[in-house]
């Protein structure tokens, strides 16, 4: 097991998953504190890195595309101190950080975890119910319905319709955008059969955000809803199939052919492990364990 404890938080790797716990330091962002502990399975990781600086360093996790509803809903726009996949490291703990990186990379290699996208969420998203106030409204989600309530700063045209309640089955997309410069941000829900080009200021399905302290908390509502929608890969496949009508029944893949393909993949994996062993990347013990795992599958 590899573990690093810092004011910014604690990361623990047990060989199967990374457990990320935010610290209690005042520099830790509200989103990380509210999100709490995250358990990231090894299969959700695309990589890990450690960047050294003169006064401190930073650990960074890179997740596979489509593994985390929070990253999908925010479009990679979360920054430190709100990004749960970054950890500030003090200079006297550089060696521990490097050891953690080595252990995670080693496990990714031995398990043969690909770095490519996934077709299902591997993290569950934030726990519900959630309710946060920011910008021109309050967004709540109980797992079944989104509730948008307006405050005195809401434009009259949007507030006139009163509280907005959206069933999760009617949501086809959700997006959180932070305020940048003079551009306001938003939490916006795309609702089935209700397309709109109205800016968030006037959109009854959006909360406008002005760059204040609590804006990042709205990203948790976005992630919780996203986790209950169709995975982006599934939605994209459905769109393609709808746009291109099938010309006939899809050909069946014989079981013997599927088994042969799997057999070839395992043989390639054995060759890769042998090359890594010859190059000194894997020790004798590591190579033996990895080879036995592949042979069992054969």
């Amino acid at each position: 097991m590899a573990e690093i404890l810092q004011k910014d938080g604690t990361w623990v790797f047990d060989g199967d998953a990374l457990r990320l716990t935010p610290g209690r330091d005042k520099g830790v962002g509200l989103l990380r504190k509210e999100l709490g502990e995250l358990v990231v399975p090894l299969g959700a990781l695309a990589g890990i890195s450690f960047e050294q600086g003169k006064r401190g360093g930073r650990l960074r996790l890179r997740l596979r595309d489509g593994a985390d509803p929070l990253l999908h809903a925010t479009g990679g726009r979360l920054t430190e101190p709100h990004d749960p996949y970054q950890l500030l490291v003090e200079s006297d703990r550089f060696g521990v950080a490097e050891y953690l990186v080595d252990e995670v990379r080693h496990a990714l290699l031995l398990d043969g975890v690909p770095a490519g996208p996934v077709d299902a969420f591997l993290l569950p998203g934030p726990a519900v119910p959630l309710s946060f106030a920011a910008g021109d409204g309050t967004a709540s989600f109980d797992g079944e319905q989104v509730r948008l309530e307006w405050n005195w700063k809401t434009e009259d045209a949007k507030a006139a319709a009163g509280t907005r309640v959206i069933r999760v089955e009617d949501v086809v997309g959700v997006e959180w955008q932070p305020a940048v410069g003079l551009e306001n941000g938003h939490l916006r829900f795309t609702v089935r059969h209700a397309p709109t080009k109205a800016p968030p200021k006037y959109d009854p399905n959006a909360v406008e955000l002005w760059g204040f302290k609590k804006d990042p908390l709205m990203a948790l509502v976005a992630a919780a809803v996203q986790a209950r929608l169709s995975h982006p890969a599934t939605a994209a496949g459905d769109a393609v199939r709808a746009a291109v009508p099938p010309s006939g029944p899809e050909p069946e893949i014989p079981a013997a052919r599927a088994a042969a393909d799997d057999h070839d993949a395992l043989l390639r994996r054995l060759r890769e492990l042998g090359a890594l062993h010859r190059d000194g990347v894997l020790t004798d013990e590591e190579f033996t364990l990895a080879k036995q795992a592949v042979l069992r599958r054969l």
Side-chain angles (χ1 to χ4, degrees):
M1 185 174 73
E3 180 180 44
I4 182 168
L5 290 78
Q6 294 289 274
K7 293 179 181 178
D8 196 40
T10 300
W11 286 14
V12 180
F13 179 59
D14 63 5
D16 295 318
L18 261 167
R19 191 175 297 272
L20 316 179
T21 306
R24 298 181 179 180
D25 188 72
K26 63 181 181 180
V28 178
L30 284 177
L31 183 146
R32 288 177 60 200
K33 290 180 178 178
E34 190 68 35
L35 184 60
E37 186 176 82
L38 273 177
V39 178
V40 184
L42 186 65
L45 294 179
I48 183 172
S49 63
F50 176 56
E51 305 162 3
Q52 291 190 23
K54 292 182 179 180
R55 297 184 179 180
R58 188 186 304 273
L59 279 166
R60 293 182 190 270
L61 284 183
R62 184 165 58 88
L63 271 62
R64 298 170 65 187
D65 287 346
D68 181 19
L70 174 63
L71 291 184
H72 184 79
T74 57
R77 291 181 286 266
L78 284 176
T79 57
E80 196 276 328
H82 304 293
D83 187 348
Y85 301 116
Q86 296 186 36
L87 182 72
L88 299 178
V89 179
E90 298 166 15
S91 57
D92 63 344
R93 306 299 286 171
F94 282 3
V96 179
E98 290 170 345
Y99 174 71
L100 178 72
V101 168
D102 288 343
E103 288 294 293
V104 174
R105 287 177 175 172
H106 189 193
L108 288 170
L109 181 65
L110 284 178
D111 281 29
V113 178
V118 297
D119 57 7
F121 290 124
L122 302 182
L123 281 85
V128 295
L130 293 168
S131 183
F132 301 111
D136 67 351
T138 297
S140 306
F141 182 55
D142 61 5
E144 297 180 356
Q145 292 182 333
V146 176
R147 185 179 180 90
L148 304 179
E149 299 175 85
W150 314 116
N151 56 38
W152 64 273
K153 295 169 282 188
T154 309
E155 283 292 321
D156 291 343
K158 184 162 72 172
T163 298
R164 182 83 165 107
V165 178
I166 310 168
R167 297 182 306 168
V168 71
E169 56 262 36
D170 292 331
V171 178
V172 295
V174 57
E175 178 189 59
W176 173 84
Q177 172 76 53
V180 179
L182 298 178
E183 294 291 328
N184 291 337
H186 61 261
L187 168 65
R188 188 198 296 270
F189 299 93
T190 302
V191 180
R192 194 185 315 276
H193 308 310
T196 178
K197 294 183 179 180
K201 185 176 184 178
Y202 302 105
D203 184 356
N205 298 319
V207 176
E208 188 179 36
L209 304 174
W210 299 316
F212 296 150
K213 185 178 180 180
K214 293 185 178 180
D215 284 9
L217 296 178
M218 288 293 192
L220 297 179
V221 178
V225 174
Q226 182 67 66
R228 289 160 175 80
L229 303 183
S230 296
H231 189 271
T234 303
D238 291 343
V240 170
R241 285 188 288 273
V244 183
S247 56
E250 294 185 2
E252 295 184 2
I253 300 177
R257 177 182 166 188
D261 289 345
D262 188 51
H263 186 271
D264 290 343
L266 293 172
L267 289 177
R268 286 196 300 272
R269 183 61 182 156
L270 279 176
R271 289 193 291 269
E272 292 170 358
L273 290 171
L276 292 170
H277 182 230
R278 287 192 301 272
D279 293 341
V281 176
L282 298 179
T283 66
D284 292 343
E285 182 181 1
E286 292 165 346
F287 172 65
T288 300
L289 290 173
K291 182 176 69 173
Q292 288 174 350
V294 175
L295 290 175
R296 281 197 297 271
R297 293 179 62 185
L298 278 170

